[in-house]
Amino acid sequence: MRNVILYSTGCPKCKILEKKMSSSNIDYKIVKDVDLMQEKGFMSMPILEVDGETMDFGTAIKWVNGV
């Protein structure tokens, strides 16, 4: 089982990624803690973290489509 975390601010791209992951039946956790996102150095949202590997929106969409 993968450890999948979606770092989200609720922006339109965040919602698109969330819907794609739900429709693909991917189990994930949502983190909306902006302070934590800044600590991790994330400059734009959403960020998808899969087993410790972080992906920007475009890469995350490709990952979801390939699952």
Side-chain angles (χ1 to χ4, degrees):
M1 175 114 172
R2 292 186 173 113
N3 182 28
V4 181
I5 302 170
L6 173 61
Y7 294 91
S8 170
T9 58
C11 72
K13 284 184 178 180
C14 295
K15 291 177 182 176
I16 289 169
L17 184 53
E18 193 173 332
K19 284 179 185 175
K20 285 191 75 65
M21 290 184 9
S22 293
S23 67
S24 296
N25 296 318
I26 297 171
D27 289 326
Y28 62 96
K29 176 182 161 190
I30 296 179
V31 174
K32 295 186 177 188
D33 183 342
V34 176
D35 292 332
L36 177 62
M37 293 177 211
Q38 288 176 337
E39 284 175 26
K40 289 182 164 275
F42 300 158
M43 301 302 286
S44 63
M45 293 301 124
I47 294 291
L48 186 64
E49 185 177 303
V50 180
D51 296 331
E53 178 187 344
T54 57
M55 301 175 217
D56 64 10
F57 177 74
T59 306
I61 291 292
K62 290 177 187 171
W63 181 82
V64 171
N65 288 338
V67 170

